[in-house]
Amino acid sequence: PETDVDRKFKLSQTIASPIGHVISPFLTKSGTPHQPGQMDTTSTIKLSQGSTGKAIKQRWMPKDALEGLEEYSHCWIVFHFHLNDPESNGKKSKVSPPRGGGTKVGIFASRAPYRPSPIGLSLVEIASVNHDKGELIVKNCDLVHETPVLDIKPYIPDYDKPDDDKEVKVATWLEEKNSKNSEIKGISFTSRADLKIQELFSVTEYDSAETLKSAITKMLMNDPRSIYRKTQLEKGEKNKLFFLNFSNLTVTVWFDGDYAEVLKVEPYYEHKKG
Amino acid sequence: PETDVDRKFKLSQTIASPIGHVISPFLTKSGTPHQPGQMDTTSTIKLSQGSTGKAIKQRWMPKDALEGLEEYSHCWIVFHFHLNDPESNGKKSKVSPPRGGGTKVGIFASRAPYRPSPIGLSLVEIASVNHDKGELIVKNCDLVHETPVLDIKPYIPDYDKPDDDKEVKVATWLEEKNSKNSEIKGISFTSRADLKIQELFSVTEYDSAETLKSAITKMLMNDPRSIYRKTQLEKGEKNKLFFLNFSNLTVTVWFDGDYAEVLKVEPYYEHKKG
């Protein structure tokens, strides 16, 4: 017989309805940063314009739901890790997080995307709200293009920040990796890549070759590779190149120890064809 | 025909599976604080011990999923606002938040519980982890007893705090209410209530009448009433008493302007019977 708690828990399984999705320069998982950091990127959260009562319960989200959000400097994006394979979701209770250098920790001691409930949380800076279009424009968003957004909540220090007089502790493996993580010490661009940046910046949202180059540099400084990729490299897969699919471009990068060389810049669709 | 985005959005609707639930001194919505504040309360997040493959997809959550969590001082509880009436969930795009004094704002400019995806976010302090029992013991948790927990994520300042050099702005109505909210200036206990506290503290988790009294005082200082209740009062419903269902007790309170008088303290079940 169904108990009261059973009934409640069943309800809990159908609660998440996307209210919109992300329009982002990060076109694929490859190259998308593991932490927002200090990227010079802008993304848009577009409220869904579908209608209630369709087969998929994609909500019609009235634009006035965003009213007043411009009064805050920051907000949370609650999102679905939609690129996870549902089959692998939350099957493991322990994981090796990207910054952990191989350390295995319980899933709840990490922010790894493969979780029992694949709900992500991302703090972003509010750039502006386009009330006419039902769009929220944000800075430093680390979400892949088309990520379904489940909720937007204003950042309120009273709720979301530990008391100033309380010591904040994080796992030692995270602190150690903080330094280890910024281990990319030099980045250069081949002259062929340089030329292509001159030629292609106009298809991106950057207004000059310099700003585009600086954005790519910042992304590489943060080392967007997964721990898996790095481990493979250490195991001897030195011949594998890394692709950054970003802002309508594919950037081919060679990581050599603490050094990154940008080898090629091409339109994203050409890379897909090739 | 189903598009790719349709398919993804459909997947997004079934992602949330409770991983456990909260054991909390807040027995009902009435009296549960709207913000964690500085309560002297302790709650437990108990991992679900069900098994996969049951009719309800309540997960079996291996206890080692909590491993390493004790290295952090704070974590997020991602939870389901399970006491919401699903019929009223997210039907409104604008709301009057508890601290807003009647101001109407877009749902995404507030932290109101009635949301399109009724997912809540609560920052708590980690007191300890009981690895044997699969339990996380936390301080300052503002969640109602039996709240289904969807996820636990460590608090990592790098991800979850705006840059120190960025100005953090919140809505003016929130700032104004910050002062207005602490408008309860005096709290007293009738001698009858005082006597009952002496008699009943042993059924609570407090170890003396003084600590229990101090916890009740703190909760009342934070004014746990909803904006609806306050508005009704201003409209003339001066005869309505307020009940705090807390730590196996029901506390009957009379709010008179900026003054609160604790009239009665009794076991929770006696109040239910009466």
Side-chain angles (χ1 to χ4, degrees):
Chain A
E2 194 177 61
T3 70
D4 197 42
V5 171
D6 282 350
R7 193 184 49 76
K8 282 181 201 162
F9 275 46
K10 202 192 280 176
L11 274 179
S12 296
Q13 285 166 33
T14 53
I15 58 169
S17 257
I19 55 139
H21 67 278
V22 178
I23 300 167
S24 148
F26 303 111
L27 303 175
T28 61
K29 268 210 289 196
S30 172
T32 299
H34 302 118
Q35 46 181 126
Q38 305 281 40
M39 312 276 147
D40 288 331
T41 57
T42 297
S43 295
T44 298
I45 317 296
K46 195 172 169 49
L47 292 187
S48 158
Q49 300 290 309
S51 59
T52 325
K54 282 169 68 176
I56 50 160
K57 280 192 310 181
Q58 182 182 345
R59 286 179 52 83
W60 172 68
M61 210 56 244
K63 294 163 182 175
D64 64 357
L66 294 175
E67 236 165 74
L69 197 56
E70 66 283 349
E71 284 203 69
Y72 301 84
S73 58
H74 294 78
C75 68
W76 296 104
I77 308 298
V78 181
F79 63 92
H80 179 202
F81 283 112
H82 69 300
L83 293 180
N84 290 2
D85 174 6
E87 288 306 302
S88 350
N89 250 339
K91 288 277 158 70
K92 287 179 183 169
S93 55
K94 298 189 79 175
V95 289
S96 300
R99 291 167 73 180
T103 323
K104 272 212 159 190
V105 298
I107 182 73
F108 299 133
S110 94
R111 295 286 281 256
Y114 285 91
R115 318 187 70 78
S117 291
I119 298 175
L121 208 55
S122 194
L123 181 65
V124 296
E125 202 185 324
I126 296 176
S128 61
V129 181
N130 187 327
H131 291 289
D132 281 348
K133 289 189 175 171
E135 289 178 358
L136 166 68
I137 296 95
V138 299
K139 286 189 224 167
N140 292 335
C141 183
D142 59 349
L143 301 180
V144 181
H145 189 57
E146 289 189 343
T147 296
V149 173
L150 306 177
D151 201 359
I152 301 167
K153 294 178 195 285
Y155 176 82
I156 301 176
D158 272 3
Y159 305 168
D160 299 330
K161 207 171 65 63
D163 286 335
D164 287 327
D165 53 342
K166 294 266 183 187
E167 194 207 355
V168 176
K169 259 182 19 181
V170 300
T172 46
W173 59 264
L174 250 178
E175 282 179 332
E176 281 156 16
K177 285 310 285 180
N178 258 331
S179 46
K180 226 178 163 184
N181 208 49
S182 28
E183 67 196 339
I184 304 301
K185 297 213 178 80
I187 289 159
S188 62
F189 292 72
T190 62
S191 53
R192 208 164 146 251
D194 247 340
L195 270 172
K196 275 291 180 184
I197 285 177
Q198 298 284 346
E199 194 185 310
L200 290 173
F201 78 84
S202 55
V203 308
T204 72
E205 73 265 33
Y206 294 91
D207 54 9
S208 69
E210 285 65 44
T211 50
L212 172 58
K213 207 170 155 178
S214 143
I216 294 172
T217 304
K218 281 190 183 177
M219 285 170 65
L220 294 176
M221 292 297 272
N222 272 300
D223 199 345
R225 293 174 301 165
S226 65
I227 183 73
Y228 174 78
R229 284 301 297 272
K230 283 191 237 180
T231 314
Q232 291 304 98
L233 203 74
E234 279 157 23
K235 279 187 188 154
E237 288 225 16
K238 291 192 192 295
N239 58 336
K240 286 265 181 83
L241 296 176
F242 185 80
F243 303 105
L244 206 64
N245 297 313
F246 170 71
S247 197
N248 300 322
L249 302 175
T250 295
V251 180
T252 305
V253 189
W254 176 46
F255 281 94
D256 183 25
D258 57 6
Y259 192 84
E261 177 96 41
V262 177
L263 300 178
K264 190 175 185 179
V265 175
E266 68 195 306
Y268 176 54
Y269 68 88
E270 276 184 22
H271 174 78
K272 279 173 93 176
K273 275 192 306 187
Chain B
E2 193 176 61
T3 69
D4 198 41
V5 171
D6 282 351
R7 194 183 48 75
K8 282 180 203 162
F9 274 47
K10 202 192 281 178
L11 273 179
S12 296
Q13 286 166 31
T14 53
I15 60 170
S17 259
I19 55 140
H21 68 279
V22 178
I23 300 166
S24 147
F26 303 111
L27 303 176
T28 61
K29 268 210 290 195
S30 172
T32 299
H34 303 119
Q35 47 181 123
Q38 305 281 41
M39 311 277 148
D40 288 333
T41 56
T42 298
S43 296
T44 299
I45 318 296
K46 193 172 172 47
L47 291 187
S48 159
Q49 299 290 310
S51 58
T52 325
K54 282 168 70 175
I56 51 158
K57 281 191 311 183
Q58 183 182 345
R59 287 180 52 84
W60 172 67
M61 212 54 247
K63 294 164 182 174
D64 64 357
L66 294 176
E67 237 166 71
L69 196 56
E70 65 284 350
E71 283 204 67
Y72 301 84
S73 58
H74 294 79
C75 69
W76 295 104
I77 307 298
V78 181
F79 63 93
H80 179 203
F81 283 112
H82 69 299
L83 293 180
N84 289 2
D85 174 5
E87 288 306 302
S88 350
N89 249 339
K91 288 278 159 69
K92 286 180 183 170
S93 54
K94 300 190 78 174
V95 288
S96 300
R99 289 167 73 182
T103 322
K104 271 211 156 189
V105 298
I107 181 74
F108 300 134
S110 94
R111 296 286 281 257
Y114 285 91
R115 316 187 71 77
S117 292
I119 297 175
L121 208 57
S122 195
L123 181 65
V124 296
E125 202 184 325
I126 297 176
S128 62
V129 180
N130 186 327
H131 292 288
D132 280 348
K133 289 189 176 173
E135 291 180 355
L136 166 68
I137 296 94
V138 299
K139 286 189 224 166
N140 291 336
C141 183
D142 59 349
L143 301 180
V144 180
H145 188 56
E146 288 190 345
T147 296
V149 173
L150 307 176
D151 201 359
I152 301 167
K153 295 179 195 284
Y155 176 82
I156 302 176
D158 273 2
Y159 305 168
D160 299 330
K161 206 171 68 62
D163 286 335
D164 287 329
D165 54 342
K166 294 265 183 186
E167 194 208 354
V168 176
K169 257 182 19 180
V170 302
T172 45
W173 59 264
L174 250 177
E175 283 179 330
E176 280 157 17
K177 283 314 284 183
N178 258 332
S179 47
K180 224 177 162 184
N181 208 49
S182 27
E183 66 194 340
I184 304 301
K185 297 211 178 83
I187 289 160
S188 61
F189 293 71
T190 61
S191 53
R192 209 165 145 249
D194 247 341
L195 270 171
K196 275 290 178 184
I197 285 176
Q198 299 284 347
E199 192 185 310
L200 291 173
F201 79 85
S202 56
V203 308
T204 72
E205 73 263 34
Y206 295 91
D207 54 10
S208 69
E210 284 64 44
T211 50
L212 172 59
K213 205 169 157 178
S214 144
I216 295 172
T217 303
K218 281 191 183 176
M219 286 170 64
L220 294 176
M221 292 297 270
N222 273 300
D223 199 345
R225 292 174 301 166
S226 65
I227 182 73
Y228 175 78
R229 283 301 296 273
K230 282 191 235 180
T231 314
Q232 291 304 99
L233 204 73
E234 278 156 25
K235 279 187 188 155
E237 288 226 14
K238 292 190 190 296
N239 58 335
K240 286 264 181 83
L241 297 176
F242 185 80
F243 302 106
L244 205 66
N245 297 313
F246 170 72
S247 198
N248 300 324
L249 302 176
T250 295
V251 180
T252 305
V253 189
W254 175 47
F255 281 95
D256 183 26
D258 57 5
Y259 193 84
E261 177 96 42
V262 178
L263 301 179
K264 189 176 185 180
V265 176
E266 69 195 305
Y268 176 55
Y269 68 88
E270 276 185 21
H271 174 78
K272 279 172 94 177
K273 276 192 305 187

